Amino acid sequence: MSVDTNWSLDAVQSLRSMAREGVPVSVISLRLKRPVDAVCAKLAELGITPKLEA
């Protein structure tokens, strides 16, 4: 089971919530304990444009 590819419903909800709040991808990555690439890929899959890093 790979941490990068298996997203629980809770993790996806957290991801959506943080993205909506404008939390940077690097911070989302740390909070969800996932690589930045995995977070970006999931956001793209969900059709969510991440906030650009400051």
Side-chain angles (χ1 to χ4, degrees):
M1 181 167 105
S2 172
V3 174
D4 298 348
T5 57
N6 295 313
W7 287 80
S8 67
L9 184 57
D10 285 346
V12 172
Q13 288 174 337
S14 295
L15 175 65
R16 284 181 187 268
S17 176
M18 286 187 273
R20 227 179 297 136
E21 293 167 14
V23 177
V25 173
S26 59
V27 176
I28 294 173
S29 169
L30 290 172
R31 289 186 185 168
L32 296 179
K33 297 180 175 66
R34 293 177 182 268
V36 172
D37 290 347
V39 172
C40 288
K42 192 63 176 179
L43 286 171
E45 184 183 311
L46 296 170
I48 301 170
T49 304
K51 179 172 171 51
L52 296 175
E53 301 292 326

